[in-house]
Amino acid sequence: MFYPKVHDPILLKEISTEIRRSVIKSLTLAGSGHLGASLGLADLFTCLYFAILNHDPDDPKFSDRDRLILSIGHVAPLLYTTLARVGYFPEKELETLRKLGSRLQGHPGREHGLPGLELSAGSLGQGLSVSVGRALAGKMNGNSWRVYCILGDGELQEGSVWEAAMSASHLKLDHLIAIVDRNGVQIDGKTEAIMALEPLKEKWKAFGWEVVECDGNNHQDLISSFHLAQQVVGKPTVIIAYTKMGKGVPMIEGDHRWHGKAPSEEESSLFLKQLEETTAG
Amino acid sequence: MTKQYINRGDRPTKEGFAEGLLASGIRHPEVMVIGADITASVGANLFAQRFPNRFISLGIAEQNCMGVAAGLALEGKIPVFATYGVFAALRTTDQIRVSVCYNNLHVVIGGAHAGLSVGADGATHQALEDLAVMRVLPNMTVLSPCDATQTKIAVQQAIHQVTGPVYIRFGRAPVSDFTRDNQVVEVGKGQLLHPGNDLTIIATGHMVWEALQAAYLLQEEKISVRVINIHTVKPIDQEIIVMAARETHAIITAEEHQVTGGLGGAVAEVLGREYPVPMRLIGMPDRFGESGEPAELMKKFGLTGQTIIQTAKELLELKSK
Ligand SMILES: [Mg+2]
């Protein structure tokens, strides 16, 4: 049985807030990790795991499930938090993030046995190729499940992403949907200053992809974009999701310095307070 | 002791790869081959002609080829990605490390144009570092068969017997084809090809034939040389190596590969820990190759039976002191 989809927008909002709260807490305990993108993508993960993906937390390897490939392995805290919230493992285990002996590795590592992980990843530029391979196998077998691949915008500077993009359209993989986290920042600063990606939409189009743009922090916009992407025939679709790094905590929103940092105890309580204020309003 | 092995005629080991791949394709419907433009020259052509729907051309984009192979393996396919060894092992090392090895996926990587005997194409295309780089990766199995017949069997073992990532290297130049059709190639086990008590030559790839020739010539001088073929560089057969050290007290390794990090390194690691004896390593002396005829190059860089004989005599002299 697939996990029942959540349609209530208020409930989805509450889930996103819970996930953000949990991400802040587990990163604070861990003492290191990537807070910015984990907060920025909380809405995307909520929509995927609660409203879009066909999956079953009670049977993580069910063969007809959709496959979610997280190419940006550094967003692991958000993936773990979402998987726990949706029922893959007890939420208590989130306290072990990045600790010795934990199943919650700094970047996803399947050999540690955490249920729900589709790929051990963390070296940027590899997830889309793996997604192409999985989608190709599904297509050859005549399966109906889809592959969803989450990419970072800074990651698009890796040449191998474009090798994969070229092959996905060449192979007409319409069961492959890529999502680019277009938060405009990477570790050193703004993407456009470090290595410009624009015109990004045109680049994907030129590589033979259907392109959908959306507000990556708006649930309804995300969900309708996925429904649009699912209808595309004969080519893969990329959803360029414009997000804000650090979304939900106004004092760090859009600040690239929070890409790879965990909050201190003090910052953590401040962030949690801000999170409650923004979601209450 | 007579010559047990004779050359049935020179053949590129690539032909063995092509034949083995075809046989595996017939044997198992999930075997797929990924091509990066050089289908015929890496021996994927027989498979591609027979199974066009299971041959996926992905162009000159090796990093993507490796990642796609990982994705196919995650879905239960048995992907074989073959290209020149320099690209297969080195251009895609990070994809192999993370997407393939860290996920412990059964991806079969074929490294063509192995060694110096690629010849005229020169240094860029002579894979002389692949064994070292593949050997260091966790979960990886590394195969280096010694002739076309053995390559044909070994690639089928790589596809049907090994369960994790596996790298198999093979060459372009026609070399002696001498091992038996009905031999057993057990992954992880060395083959004792020639008995001897005075010293042991442990070789891999085409250098196994050179080692045998050296042993046969030394025999005429009443020097008894054991020859061991290591077709599995990783996991290496510790038992056969330690036994050779214990019984012959002198070891030479020979490989068409950089002298550091490959077979010689692997054997030295075992003996340094288990049973240190005087040892000499024959291989490419930490430099790049160049253009030339295969035989000329092998001679120039000392990868010949003659070098083995000379080294054996030096080592025996040292041993007798
Ligand atoms: Mg970014």
Side-chain angles (χ1 to χ4, degrees):
Chain A
M1 266 286 279
F2 288 134
Y3 188 85
K5 307 245 181 338
V6 174
H7 299 291
D8 177 5
I10 296 167
L11 181 54
L12 284 174
K13 247 191 180 145
E14 281 173 15
I15 294 168
S16 286
T17 303
E18 280 173 39
I19 287 174
R20 286 194 166 92
R21 193 183 298 132
S22 185
V23 160
I24 295 171
K25 284 180 180 168
S26 63
L27 276 175
T28 308
L29 272 175
S32 67
H34 296 73
L35 181 65
S38 290
L39 290 177
L41 287 176
D43 298 302
L44 173 72
F45 275 66
T46 302
C47 291
L48 278 169
Y49 278 93
F50 290 87
I52 296 296
L53 293 179
N54 290 324
H55 70 115
D56 182 2
D58 295 326
D59 187 5
K61 290 180 177 169
F62 181 57
S63 62
D64 273 342
R65 74 193 186 282
D66 291 327
R67 277 74 164 154
L68 183 106
I69 299 285
L70 182 63
S71 190
I72 38 175
H74 59 266
V75 190
L78 173 61
L79 176 66
Y80 300 151
T81 303
T82 312
L83 289 174
R85 176 63 182 75
V86 80
Y88 280 88
F89 57 89
E91 292 186 80
K92 178 88 181 146
E93 193 172 348
L94 293 171
E95 294 170 10
T96 69
L97 174 68
R98 288 180 164 247
K99 304 281 192 232
L100 187 66
S102 174
R103 300 197 292 177
L104 282 63
Q105 294 289 299
H107 294 79
R110 288 160 73 239
E111 69 176 35
H112 298 273
L114 193 72
L117 298 185
E118 296 284 8
L119 186 70
S120 307
S123 176
L124 296 178
Q126 300 191 21
L128 192 58
S129 295
V130 176
S131 302
V132 168
R134 294 189 91 150
L136 175 62
K139 185 179 165 158
M140 291 179 73
N141 294 342
N143 297 322
S144 58
W145 47 261
R146 292 186 172 83
V147 181
Y148 294 83
C149 177
I150 302 178
L151 302 160
D153 54 1
E155 181 182 22
L156 303 183
Q157 291 155 359
E158 293 279 8
S160 55
V161 172
W162 300 99
E163 293 184 3
M166 205 186 297
S167 68
S169 61
H170 178 80
L171 297 167
K172 302 186 169 58
L173 300 177
D174 48 14
H175 279 50
L176 170 62
I177 298 172
I179 305 105
V180 172
D181 174 20
R182 186 66 172 122
N183 60 15
V185 285
Q186 55 191 109
I187 294 184
D188 271 2
K190 291 191 183 345
T191 58
E192 298 314 285
I194 288 151
M195 179 49 66
L197 297 168
E198 295 297 340
L200 189 55
K201 184 179 177 176
E202 287 76 4
K203 281 196 175 80
W204 284 98
K205 276 196 165 168
F207 275 76
W209 287 58
E210 183 71 24
V211 186
V212 179
E213 291 179 292
C214 80
D215 177 349
N217 293 122
N218 180 311
H219 292 163
Q220 293 318 308
D221 203 3
L222 278 166
I223 290 169
S224 57
S225 299
F226 279 116
H227 290 159
L228 212 66
Q230 289 166 352
Q231 303 307 314
V232 174
V233 177
K235 56 178 169 176
T237 300
V238 59
I239 297 173
I240 301 177
Y242 293 87
T243 70
K244 245 186 192 161
M245 183 173 276
K247 177 74 183 181
V249 179
M251 64 183 291
I252 65 165
E253 272 181 18
D255 186 344
H256 69 87
R257 287 171 302 177
W258 281 95
H259 169 92
K261 227 164 62 159
S264 66
E265 292 279 352
E266 233 166 76
E267 288 164 332
S268 181
S269 32
L270 205 60
F271 291 178
L272 287 169
K273 196 163 152 256
Q274 281 214 336
L275 180 65
E276 303 316 318
E277 284 165 11
T278 50
T279 47
Chain B
M1 188 50 69
T2 51
K3 295 181 186 178
Q4 290 183 319
Y5 291 94
I6 52 150
N7 180 11
R8 291 186 297 266
D10 288 356
R11 289 181 71 202
T13 49
K14 180 183 82 178
E15 284 183 15
F17 179 80
E19 291 167 8
L21 198 53
L22 178 64
S24 281
I26 293 167
R27 191 164 145 191
H28 201 306
E30 300 293 4
V31 175
M32 292 181 60
V33 173
I34 295 172
D37 196 40
I38 43 179
T39 312
S41 70
V42 302
N45 49 326
L46 297 184
F47 183 98
Q49 284 153 16
R50 176 74 181 262
F51 303 108
N53 296 331
R54 284 153 60 191
F55 174 77
I56 308 294
S57 162
L58 292 177
I60 309 166
E62 294 84 5
Q63 296 175 74
N64 184 49
C65 290
M66 196 61 75
V68 170
L72 290 168
L74 277 164
E75 297 300 339
K77 302 285 182 192
I78 307 174
V80 180
F81 173 42
T83 182
Y84 299 150
V86 281
F87 309 135
L90 305 176
R91 192 186 193 103
T92 70
T93 308
D94 190 35
Q95 275 77 11
I96 298 176
R97 177 174 180 267
V98 179
S99 288
V100 177
C101 287
Y102 189 35
N103 284 280
N104 199 12
L105 299 174
H106 184 34
V107 171
V108 180
I109 304 163
H113 282 26
L116 200 55
S117 55
V118 170
D121 280 340
T124 56
H125 284 57
Q126 294 162 349
L128 290 164
E129 299 81 14
D130 53 334
L131 294 180
V133 175
M134 292 298 96
R135 184 168 90 75
V136 81
L137 294 170
N139 296 335
M140 182 65 90
T141 295
V142 181
L143 303 179
S144 169
C146 65
D147 67 359
T149 297
Q150 186 163 86
T151 304
K152 179 179 176 178
I153 301 168
V155 68
Q156 293 177 74
Q157 292 290 75
I159 291 170
H160 304 291
Q161 195 202 330
V162 178
T163 55
V166 49
Y167 177 83
I168 177 168
R169 87 192 305 235
F170 48 92
R172 173 167 80 176
V175 293
S176 310
D177 189 35
F178 61 95
T179 60
R180 297 182 180 95
D181 278 325
N182 61 355
Q183 69 184 296
V184 176
V185 177
E186 192 181 341
V187 174
K189 287 282 172 210
Q191 292 177 324
L192 177 65
L193 296 188
H194 189 74
N197 302 315
D198 295 331
L199 104 165
T200 302
I201 306 165
I202 300 175
T204 193
H206 171 60
M207 291 305 288
V208 174
W209 174 254
E210 296 295 324
L212 278 172
Q213 300 319 298
Y216 296 155
L217 286 170
L218 286 164
Q219 193 170 270
E220 290 166 13
E221 299 180 38
K222 304 280 179 259
I223 299 170
S224 163
V225 175
R226 184 178 301 189
V227 177
I228 293 169
N229 170 29
I230 295 290
H231 52 62
T232 308
V233 175
K234 184 186 179 183
I236 200 156
D237 186 347
Q238 300 203 30
E239 207 177 317
I240 202 169
I241 293 168
V242 172
M243 195 189 293
R246 190 172 282 142
E247 292 173 0
T248 70
H249 305 286
I251 303 279
I252 293 173
T253 60
E255 62 198 302
E256 207 183 327
H257 184 272
Q258 296 293 353
V259 76
T260 50
L263 173 72
V267 171
E269 286 161 17
V270 171
L271 292 181
R273 187 175 59 236
E274 303 290 335
Y275 202 91
V277 293
M279 191 178 166
R280 290 289 179 272
L281 281 64
I282 295 171
M284 191 67 177
D286 193 19
R287 57 156 293 179
F288 285 104
E290 62 185 69
S291 292
E293 288 302 314
E296 293 174 329
L297 290 167
M298 297 295 271
K299 192 172 172 205
K300 169 162 183 175
F301 293 106
L303 300 175
T304 60
Q306 271 313 310
T307 312
I308 296 174
I309 289 172
Q310 195 185 322
T311 308
K313 287 180 176 171
E314 287 166 15
L315 192 56
L316 284 173
E317 200 169 316
L318 183 85
K319 188 182 151 186
S320 67
K321 274 180 191 163

